[in-house]
Amino acid sequence: MGAAALLLVVAGCTQGADKPTSDFKEADGRAAAQRWVSEEFTPSTLSKDEQLAEMEWFMKAAAPYRGMQINVVSETITTHEYESRQLAKAFTEITGIRIKHDLIQEGDVIEKLQTQIQGDQNIYDAYVNDSDLIGTHSRGDYVLPLSDYMAGEGKKVTSPTLDLDDFIGISFTTGPDKKIYQLPDQQFANLYWFRYDWFTDPDIKKQFKDAYGYDLGVPVNWAAYEDIADFFTNKVNGDGTIDGKKVYGHMDYGRKDPSLGWRFTDSWLSMAGNGDPGIPNGLPVDDWGIRVEDCRPVGSSVTRGGDTNGPAAVYALTKYVDWLKKYAPEEAAGMNFSEAGPVPAQGHIAQQIFWYTSFTADMTKPGLSVVNEDGTPKWRIAPSPHGAYWKDGNKLGYQDAGSWTLLKSTPEERRAAAWLYAQFVTSKTVSLKKSIVGLTFIRDSDIRSDHFADNAENYGGLIEFYGSPARKQWTPTGTNVPDYPKLAQLWWQNVATAVTGETTAQQSMDNLAKQQDDILSRLERLSREREGYGGQCAPKLNPERDAQYWYDQPGAPAPKLADERGKPETLDYDKLVATWKKSD
């Protein structure tokens, strides 16, 4: 690994070291812009003349950097595949700057990012990494805040049509100091997914009501979700089959793998009711169970005022393990995120409580068993149900916001050229087409475009969700997490032992809370040893107190409920969507 990293560092430092040469002609760039705008970047929220004017600006701004090869990296999802395959080529033809857009796994992106930060040597000229790192980036001294860059060094290469207010996730990439650190490139939520055709089938609806005494519909709480999971797995048509095929009322994944951590840090605890109300991430206790005072993390353990190992967190982990074993296909326990994602498209899953909308594009392909002959989906998406500890005002779920990040270790010219590419792939000229391909919206103007208004029925409720105020209750990991790479890796290791039965849910969460506090303590020492690290937002742990002291205080952590099930509740999906449209 060290040798590989060194080779990458050397490559990054040597490319473009000499003044680049290019035979690029502006006439060729304009002709390329005409061709791409006419043939590929359509539809758009801009007129064709506005698109060409925007492309003209990119071509002119790129003049000092023509002939350079810029290296950028992102995780492998449909949106980034489109960028790497199509938009990088278009950018090169229009500007004369060559782009090598690498696609690797998300964990590898973070590894490369950390290698560059720790070595202070340039590997990539820009990174698309999750806004989950905002708490890390804003406390470090290695990221170039975009607010500062756009007003200073990067002013000449910042597009006048960037329109930051149009980015629906810009608040996710803003630090406690109110500076923007990253530019959103793609965004998706985790939502409830279900087979609308089965849920509206009169015979299936009657069977469910006869068995449980209430209507089959979108589950509002975990009690209803659990009943529906049991019904489809064990009882529908007497044996858990539809049209002679075995079906399941739940889908998930459980392999000991870094992606198992995302399953939890991506708001599973907040969906259960862990932490406090407050958007984006709960105050003073957030959706990782970390308590903050002002902007300082002060503890994860209940004994420090945190909620990582409180009753709500233990309940969340217990339900996850129980449902995985009782209601999901047997092979799900051995799958990771990437393997489990496409499974509902195979047609034997009735519902999934935690489904990423990044899979929407792959779930709408003609010929799938979950797609009608006219191209409309047989499935729908809705808000995920919440657990017994959930309170009004808690976040309801997670949104991923993969975002462009510039590092101070990148040479100035390379950083400028990379920033041009980052703006190009998020520009209004291309963003609507990119949204159609990947369905990972970043601009409000795209969501409200005529294209999606006219084709909303093809996306199973995705357009209605993103066009409604409801989406604001879905947020990424926030600024309370001061070192995302170090803290995130603790989650999958501790959750995995609960899946295998090596530890109880309580033991797993106790171990996790203590390990998180150990890292917070090390960061606290670092802030003392390295003056200025973390600033006023550096961790400062609370002294430990008896857990009962904290249970007696208002808010999180909450004491264990006598009834962790509650009364099951469902909603009619079509009425739910009508309320979204009405509140839009």
Side-chain angles (χ1 to χ4, degrees):
M1 287 176 60
L6 180 61
L7 287 172
L8 282 167
V9 169
V10 171
C13 290
T14 56
Q15 286 173 353
D18 299 322
K19 188 68 178 176
T21 58
S22 173
D23 57 0
F24 178 87
K25 295 180 178 61
E26 289 193 355
D28 293 336
R30 290 191 182 94
Q34 283 275 359
R35 185 175 67 256
W36 282 98
V37 165
S38 299
E39 298 176 6
E40 180 63 28
F41 303 150
T42 181
S44 171
T45 57
L46 301 181
S47 68
K48 185 174 181 180
D49 287 345
E50 288 171 330
Q51 287 180 285
L52 291 173
E54 192 168 57
M55 294 299 97
E56 179 76 12
W57 180 86
F58 278 105
M59 185 184 67
K60 293 288 189 182
Y65 317 106
R66 286 176 190 150
M68 294 177 68
Q69 175 174 299
I70 300 303
N71 304 312
V72 302
V73 66
S74 64
E75 65 175 303
T76 307
I77 63 171
T78 302
T79 297
H80 296 317
E81 288 172 349
Y82 178 70
E83 291 169 340
S84 179
R85 184 181 68 253
Q86 291 281 72
L87 299 188
K89 181 181 179 183
F91 182 77
T92 296
E93 292 182 4
I94 292 168
T95 67
I97 300 172
R98 291 177 291 131
I99 296 292
K100 186 174 184 290
H101 187 148
D102 286 346
L103 303 174
I104 59 180
Q105 293 301 307
E106 181 182 359
D108 295 329
V109 173
I110 301 303
E111 182 183 330
K112 299 295 186 221
L113 182 68
Q114 287 181 291
T115 301
Q116 179 159 338
I117 291 166
Q118 293 162 3
D120 200 32
Q121 295 288 330
N122 199 50
I123 299 174
Y124 284 103
D125 303 308
Y127 291 79
V128 181
N129 61 100
D130 285 358
S131 70
D132 296 331
L133 278 86
I134 184 62
T136 317
H137 292 337
S138 62
R139 287 177 175 86
D141 57 0
Y142 53 86
V143 165
L144 192 59
L146 293 181
S147 295
D148 294 345
Y149 182 71
M150 291 185 289
E153 175 193 314
K155 189 172 184 178
K156 290 184 178 179
V157 287
T158 297
S159 170
T161 55
L162 182 58
D163 192 5
L164 290 173
D165 291 340
D166 194 37
F167 284 80
I168 62 174
I170 203 69
S171 63
F172 304 155
T173 60
T174 302
D177 55 5
K178 308 305 180 186
K179 290 183 180 180
I180 297 169
Y181 283 79
Q182 302 166 276
L183 183 71
D185 178 90
Q186 48 84 3
Q187 190 169 322
F188 55 88
N190 64 11
L191 294 166
Y192 173 72
W193 180 97
F194 71 105
R195 285 292 297 268
Y196 179 79
D197 57 336
W198 293 352
F199 276 53
T200 55
D201 181 281
D203 181 50
I204 292 175
K205 289 174 67 175
K206 182 179 185 304
Q207 290 181 48
F208 183 86
K209 186 150 189 185
D210 288 346
Y212 297 94
Y214 62 95
D215 290 332
L216 177 61
V218 173
V220 173
N221 54 21
W222 285 11
Y225 183 86
E226 192 168 60
D227 285 347
I228 296 168
D230 175 57
F231 171 70
F232 279 103
T233 305
N234 300 311
K235 298 179 181 178
V236 65
N237 294 323
D239 57 359
T241 64
I242 295 178
D243 297 330
K245 184 177 182 180
K246 174 61 187 160
V247 299
Y248 296 89
H250 177 62
M251 181 60 203
D252 216 319
Y253 61 95
R255 186 202 296 178
K256 187 176 182 180
D257 176 271
S259 65
L260 185 58
W262 312 338
R263 175 66 179 76
F264 278 76
T265 58
D266 291 359
S267 303
W268 182 243
L269 268 62
S270 75
M271 291 162 62
N274 180 270
D276 283 307
I279 300 298
N281 297 99
L283 290 171
V285 181
D286 76 350
D287 52 314
W288 284 39
I290 299 174
R291 177 177 286 270
V292 296
E293 294 175 2
D294 294 323
C295 60
R296 285 186 182 275
V298 298
S300 304
S301 301
V302 169
T303 52
R304 298 185 193 274
D307 203 9
T308 306
N309 61 332
V314 174
Y315 158 81
L317 180 54
T318 299
K319 287 298 181 185
Y320 158 75
V321 175
D322 285 351
W323 293 346
L324 178 66
K325 293 180 177 180
K326 290 180 179 179
Y327 307 124
E330 185 176 354
E331 59 271 19
M335 291 181 172
N336 62 18
F337 166 82
S338 300
E339 294 162 340
V343 170
Q346 296 170 10
H348 62 306
I349 305 298
Q351 61 170 359
Q352 187 166 348
I353 191 171
F354 190 97
W355 182 80
Y356 287 93
T357 60
S358 58
F359 292 113
T360 305
D362 295 328
M363 195 73 80
T364 55
K365 293 178 178 177
L368 290 175
S369 60
V370 294
V371 175
N372 292 311
E373 289 185 5
D374 63 0
T376 58
K378 296 179 181 179
W379 51 266
R380 299 291 187 273
I381 54 174
S384 294
H386 52 72
Y389 290 84
W390 191 88
K391 303 159 286 294
D392 284 339
N394 276 64
K395 66 186 290 184
L396 274 172
Y398 171 83
Q399 282 202 66
D400 183 288
S403 306
W404 287 101
T405 307
L406 303 180
L407 301 185
K408 292 180 180 178
S409 56
T410 300
E412 184 175 334
E413 285 194 344
R414 302 190 65 78
R415 185 162 55 224
W419 175 235
L420 285 172
Y421 177 67
Q423 294 173 95
F424 178 85
V425 300
T426 58
S427 67
K428 289 184 180 180
T429 290
V430 308
S431 65
L432 178 54
K433 179 58 182 287
K434 189 175 82 169
S435 294
I436 294 168
V437 172
L439 298 174
T440 56
F441 307 103
I442 54 170
R443 287 187 176 275
D444 188 67
S445 56
D446 292 334
I447 296 164
R448 301 182 189 283
S449 67
D450 290 343
H451 173 84
F452 283 119
D454 294 341
N455 294 280
E457 65 176 7
N458 295 324
Y459 302 109
L462 182 65
I463 309 306
E464 290 84 352
F465 169 76
Y466 267 104
S468 78
R471 73 165 189 244
K472 295 179 181 178
Q473 287 186 281
W474 278 255
T475 62
T477 301
T479 58
N480 297 355
V481 179
D483 192 329
Y484 182 89
K486 284 188 175 66
L487 289 165
Q489 67 182 347
L490 302 175
W491 287 72
W492 64 274
Q493 296 168 2
N494 285 290
V495 169
T497 60
V499 174
T500 59
E502 297 169 60
T503 56
T504 66
Q506 183 70 65
Q507 289 169 336
S508 289
M509 300 313 283
D510 284 344
N511 293 339
L512 173 61
K514 183 183 183 304
Q515 291 166 21
Q516 284 202 153
D517 282 347
D518 288 345
I519 288 179
L520 294 179
S521 179
R522 290 202 294 272
L523 294 174
E524 181 180 357
R525 289 197 300 273
L526 180 61
S527 72
R528 292 196 298 266
E529 295 165 1
R530 238 173 71 189
E531 187 176 350
Y533 176 83
Q536 295 302 308
C537 296
K540 187 177 182 180
L541 284 178
N542 279 336
E544 289 199 84
R545 307 182 70 153
D546 185 78
Q548 192 60 47
Y549 168 83
W550 291 104
Y551 290 140
D552 290 340
Q553 307 305 309
K560 183 176 174 64
L561 294 173
D563 176 13
E564 288 188 328
R565 176 172 165 82
K567 182 181 178 181
E569 183 183 353
T570 58
L571 281 175
D572 179 88
Y573 175 76
D574 295 305
K575 291 179 180 177
L576 172 66
V577 171
T579 64
W580 283 353
K581 292 178 178 178
K582 187 175 180 180
S583 61
D584 185 7

